[in-house]
Amino acid sequence: MMLLPFLAEAQMSVVSGYVTDASNGERLIGATVYESRTRKGTVTNGYGFYSLTLPFADTTELIFSYVGFEEQHKLLKINGNIKLNVALESKLTLNEVVVTAEAAERPVQQRLEMSSISLPVREAKLLPALGGESDVMKAVQLMPGVQSGNEGTSGLYVRGGSPDQNLMILDDAPLYYVNHLGGFVSIFNTDAISSINLIKGGFPARYGNRLSSVMDVRMKDGNLKEHHGDAMIGMVASKIALEGPIKKDTSSYLVSVRRFMYDIFMRPLSKVLFENTTEAYSFYDFNVKLNYRLSDKDALYLSLYSGRDRISTKIKEKVPNGSYVNRFSKSWGNQLVALRWNHLFGPKLFSNTTLSYTRYHYRTDLQNETDLTAYNEIITDNYLSSINDFSLKSDFQFYQSEHYRMLFGVSSVLHQFKPSTEEYSENYNGFLPIDTVFGNGKLLCWENAAYIENEIYLSENIAVNAGLRLVHNFVEDTSFLHLEPRLLLNWQIGSELSLKASYSRMYQNVHLLTNSGSGMPTDLWLPATKDIVPEDATQFAVGLATTQQIKGQTFDFSAELFYKQMRHLIAYKTGVSTQSAIVDWQKKIEKDGQGTAKGIELLARKSTGRTTGWIGSTLSRTTRQFDNINDGKPYLFKYDRPLDLSLAVVHKLTDNISCSMTWVYGTGNAFTLPVGAYSALTDDGWETVYIYEGINTFRMRSYHRLDVGISFEKQKEHGTRVWNVSVYNAYNRMNPYFYYFQTDWQTHEIKLMQVTMFPMMPSVSYEYKF
């Protein structure tokens, strides 16, 4: 079957080029290119490139389209290879979000993909925003099969997986922690992002080293035509973004900075509210993108990202002969540098080579200082965990014909782990009787991979993506070699319905130990070793998809069944310290755990007209099983939710006013409660002893919340100003954050008490575009 397209190449020519946004020169990802008579075509890749093989003809009409842009029709005489770059004009004015059906995406039933969600950034920016800070991750959490855990938690839980099982990519380089404020805000600043794509199953072979999902995020390239800026002041953060040409139509820049403002006000305020105490919390994001088009065949991209969260407290107590000072700080964050080179070998072969460096660190610092007249003592205790990645990879796309496309590539990553290092010192009157460093040293892990994908269009109705990924992982004196087959089938039944099915085998060579169930994280990234082998998962999915035109509007409908089996999972042992380097991390955990996830996902999405949005539903069940937990019996995963519902709507009231709302409902999280109690006499007196019958056998109250927002735009002399008003938890639902027991010592009655952290919270932000 692979040879048939090669044998049918007589009298064929290739039309190839790039599709760009005419207003700023940015290349459009996923734009549709097709021949009008046969409706056969393709879509642009992640860099806006397309290649279409067509038979010789005196007159052929090609149609170029992209959501929110005017279609372009090109009449061509096909008698040889043609290079054709197309710039599409936006339908959207500065305030307009209405999209017509004629410029919609390729119908969902024709796409060789499943379990995949592409989310326009402009749509995410219009959804209600906590503190006025729009967030693409919040929009992704509204999709079927995706959960955010509980309020105030960090990480995505996709199809029963854990946060570490999601591959987060920014401009072809991985990131390890993608949240601020314990999960309320992601690191992805919408002013710097051009596209976001989430894959939950049917994974292409080019992705690997995670079990549950891939989130591929692309930064803007920067405007090649004009200089522009965007500044915002909100209740969560303030930010500014600048972009423009370095040399018009050849090179451009993008710079974006965002900062949490809480500490600027809280530091002086805490001194007044809390005697002798100063506390602060801050985060920042810094994005830079440089884009240089060397020629029609070569382009360079340099992407930089740096972000960090930091929380700190200082308590100073004065005494007659001196003072006592206690300082504590915790910080975590990512740094990323990626240099990419696009090269076009010819009209059919496109390549991208990426050299990148990624760093994630987690650090705590504790210092106690005693400063008295005749005595001085300083005790410090610092803890550090980090991972550094040095990566080189090359990806190729070979467009043989309209029936066959081959993607292949190789990659090599050097992981440098520092699982846990503790520095402890004691200084008495200038002397250092104790100054030591202990814990786990550096661990080097070398990971190499090669893959091939074959996109084969067997007929007008049947298409297959058959792929294979080979991975070799070497750590210390141990090697792991894995073969990961991938298969995706799309069978188009008639013109409006398709049946899709997929199989994926995945391995993960890194582990995450975390206790970030609520609040701030404690994330320790660790390698697979001889004793703690790589995690693996097998996932099957089958579904139906269709795109319908109803009264001139475009609706996408999909239904998917999935089943996932996970092996060699890890978890903390009960009662171990998460921030001590005295004990080897491999002795802190339970290993060789198993997990299952199964369910059905339903999605209805409207992508055109003055009203857009979607409604999604997930029915699922997720379990875990460890030999030394729950007596070896399977138990419900903490974030198992039998029912999850979400609704998102954006409506354009006028050209200047947009309103939006989101509503979510979820079965309460599973948690552990005792079934009885008795009093026992101990060395400390009488104490209550609780009796348990299993793990996660009870559920919290169901969770539901309504968020609403409205934005007002107005054209000013030198730009556009935008007021955004949002209300989080509009009907003030008292959702559970956690539970605890309270005992009435007079009646000896024990009550279960609920704590709610996030009531109704209005917010406002001001934005100016220039």
Side-chain angles (χ1 to χ4, degrees), residues 20-26 28 69 72 86-90 225:
T20 60
D21 182 339
S23 65
N24 56 29
E26 290 236 9
L28 299 178
F69 288 77
Q72 274 201 31
V86 174
L88 299 182
E89 297 285 346
S90 175
K225 307 290 186 180

Side-chain angles (χ1 to χ4, degrees), residues 9-10 85 92 97 149 170 248 251 286 306 309 333 347 406 445 487 529 538 550 565 584 632 636 646 655 697 730 747:
E9 288 302 299
N85 296 329
L92 313 180
V97 295
L170 180 63
K248 191 173 182 179
S251 57
F286 179 63
S306 179
D309 289 62
M406 181 171 62
C445 174
L487 183 64
T529 65
T538 302
I550 303 175
Q565 180 71 46
D584 183 1
L636 293 178
S646 61
D655 288 346
T697 55
T747 63

